[in-house]
Amino acid sequence: MVRRFFSYIFSRSNTVLFLSAFFLSISLTASLLYLSSEQPHLLIKDFDGDFSFWKLTLLGKFFMFSGIFPNFLFLILIFRLIRFLIIICLKPLGKILMIIFSNKNLDKFNEYVTKLEKTLIKNKPKVDKAFNKIKLKKKIKKDYLMPLSIIISAIILAFAILFQ
């Protein structure tokens, strides 16, 4: 029963949800104001002393909790609006990423990487003898220049692809 009720609510369009929430809140507020001004004994049992929840009649308790339903409908609308705005913002980003990571650009990037690898293999310096003569005082455990050089070469390749 509750599952059918919620599936019915979530299957309604935004305009139906907005109009039903709007008219529910207006009608509930108007009827509460009318009853509190014209027939207050229908809402509150005892007017003597301080106000408490237990002094309300069943109709008064209904009006106390009746604002939850229109606000629930407005919350559904707000979350749908937020989801819509997020999707609108992510569509241009997706198009930009689709252009950058297209098959054509990835193939060109692979060509540049293979050319770079061949060039590096061809022009490898011959320093075997000199390296054995040099004795380093401290050994560098982490090579921090390699990731930096990879990032710089990737940026250069990206600009080459972009401005080709």
Side-chain angles (χ1 to χ4, degrees):
M1 171 95 176
V2 174
R3 188 178 201 170
R4 273 197 252 151
F5 175 71
F6 282 116
S7 66
Y8 174 76
I9 287 176
F10 286 115
S11 68
R12 299 292 98 198
S13 68
N14 291 338
T15 33
V16 170
L17 281 176
F18 176 76
L19 290 175
S20 60
F22 183 72
F23 288 122
L24 258 176
S25 49
I26 285 178
S27 63
L28 287 172
T29 305
S31 61
L32 176 67
L33 289 175
Y34 172 76
L35 284 176
S36 63
S37 65
E38 297 296 322
Q39 304 289 332
H41 62 279
L42 292 176
L43 299 175
I44 301 173
K45 292 178 192 173
D46 185 19
F47 290 107
D48 299 332
D50 292 333
F51 174 77
S52 85
F53 179 74
W54 305 111
K55 290 184 179 181
L56 290 175
T57 62
L58 188 60
L59 186 62
K61 290 175 186 174
F62 167 75
F63 277 114
M64 190 88 139
F65 293 108
S66 64
I68 292 172
F69 190 70
N71 289 330
F72 174 69
L73 296 178
F74 281 128
L75 275 177
I76 293 171
L77 284 172
I78 289 170
F79 284 125
R80 283 183 182 179
L81 178 70
I82 290 170
R83 183 182 66 187
F84 177 73
L85 291 176
I86 289 173
I87 289 171
I88 290 290
C89 292
L90 290 180
K91 277 186 180 180
L93 181 65
K95 288 182 181 179
I96 292 170
L97 290 175
M98 189 172 71
I99 291 170
I100 291 173
F101 294 111
S102 68
N103 288 335
K104 181 181 171 185
N105 286 341
L106 287 177
D107 290 340
K108 285 183 181 181
F109 181 73
N110 287 334
E111 289 174 14
Y112 287 128
V113 168
T114 54
K115 286 179 185 177
L116 182 65
E117 286 175 351
K118 288 178 184 176
T119 307
L120 289 176
I121 290 171
K122 253 189 216 177
N123 298 330
K124 185 177 179 183
K126 310 276 190 237
V127 288
D128 292 336
K129 294 179 183 177
F131 185 73
N132 291 333
K133 291 179 184 177
I134 299 173
K135 297 197 176 190
L136 299 172
K137 292 181 181 178
K138 293 182 180 178
K139 289 186 177 180
I140 300 174
K141 292 183 179 177
K142 293 183 179 177
D143 189 10
Y144 59 90
L145 293 177
M146 184 58 81
L148 186 62
S149 63
I150 291 172
I151 291 170
I152 291 172
S153 64
I155 290 171
I156 291 170
L157 285 174
F159 279 119
I161 291 170
L162 183 67
F163 294 116
Q164 186 178 10

